[in-house]
């Protein structure tokens, strides 16, 4: 799908689903999800070329306050309607760029994955690399807790 087609699909999703907000999503180096929410009125054709500035110092392990400016570059192909949002919201994945150099940020997991795939291709080791999250969870037979005036406790079995 071309970028022009993907951008057209974003505006189609916005119109058909009466979208009110757009959530720009990205992940930090530790795998924590972050997002910047914008009113849908802030989204136009230029948005996909210019991106959205944000404060990188608010993301743990990224930037110092004196070099905090970073750029979220939305990837139109990733746009999906958030099925869990109370207010109609479109979620779009973003890559992170340094606005001074317009180079991808070296601590952005998406950038790291892209560079890893490019390295694998350049060495002839592989043509494609597949990455995925590592879902973790725990199953408990029983969890009990108590909250009283002077006592809080829990028991996990």
């Amino acid at each position: 799908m071309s970028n022009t087609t993907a951008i057209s699909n974003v505006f189609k999703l916005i119109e058909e689903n009466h979208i009110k907000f757009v959530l720009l999503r990205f992940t930090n180096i530790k795998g924590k999800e972050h997002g910047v929410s914008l009113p849908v009125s802030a989204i136009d054709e230029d948005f996909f070329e210019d991106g959205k500035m944000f404060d990188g110092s608010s993301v743990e392990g990224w930037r110092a306050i004196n070099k905090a400016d970073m750029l979220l570059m939305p990837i139109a192909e990733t746009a999906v309607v958030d099925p869990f949002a109370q207010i109609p919201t479109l979620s779009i994945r973003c890559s992170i760029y340094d606005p001074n150099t317009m180079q991808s940020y070296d601590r952005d997991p998406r950038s790291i994955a892209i560079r890893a795939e490019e390295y694998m291709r350049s060495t002839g080791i592989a043509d494609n690399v597949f990455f995925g999250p590592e879902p973790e969870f725990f199953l408990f037979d029983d969890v009990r807790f108590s909250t009283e005036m002077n006592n809080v406790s829990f028991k996990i079995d």
Side-chain angles (χ1 to χ4, degrees):
M1 173 185 314
S2 74
N3 197 40
T4 305
T5 303
I7 293 170
S8 295
N9 285 342
V10 167
F11 290 109
K12 184 177 177 183
L13 283 171
I14 288 171
E15 184 178 329
E16 289 176 352
N17 295 283
H18 310 288
I19 298 296
K20 303 291 185 222
F21 291 97
V22 175
L23 178 60
L24 306 177
R25 300 185 71 153
F26 64 98
T27 307
N28 72 6
I29 196 70
K30 293 182 174 185
K32 182 179 178 187
E33 282 283 319
H34 293 268
V36 174
S37 188
L38 302 173
V40 74
S41 61
I43 309 304
D44 58 18
E45 296 273 340
D46 294 336
F47 172 74
F48 291 93
E49 288 291 320
D50 301 337
K52 172 70 176 155
M53 295 292 290
F54 78 104
D55 178 6
S57 69
S58 63
V59 180
E60 184 181 355
W62 274 20
R63 287 267 172 111
I65 192 74
N66 62 331
K67 297 180 180 179
D69 291 342
M70 299 189 85
L71 187 61
L72 288 166
M73 289 302 292
I75 303 161
E77 297 84 12
T78 66
V80 294
V81 176
D82 186 335
F84 302 106
Q86 286 183 317
I87 298 171
T89 301
L90 190 69
S91 180
I92 302 176
R93 268 284 147 208
C94 295
S95 289
I96 311 300
Y97 284 81
D98 182 320
N100 299 316
T101 64
M102 289 309 291
Q103 298 294 312
S104 60
Y105 184 52
D106 61 355
R107 293 186 186 177
D108 172 22
R110 185 176 196 85
S111 172
I112 293 168
I114 290 168
R115 288 194 316 270
E117 186 172 45
E118 288 170 355
Y119 173 77
M120 297 294 279
R121 283 191 183 128
S122 74
T123 60
I125 293 172
D127 292 329
N128 292 306
V129 180
F130 298 98
F131 297 94
E134 182 180 335
E136 292 185 15
F137 60 92
F138 300 92
L139 296 176
F140 302 110
D141 289 328
D142 186 36
V143 176
R144 286 183 245 155
F145 62 92
S146 173
T147 305
E148 300 170 15
M149 180 75 79
N150 297 316
N151 183 32
V152 175
S153 65
F154 65 91
K155 182 178 179 186
I156 299 174
D157 183 15

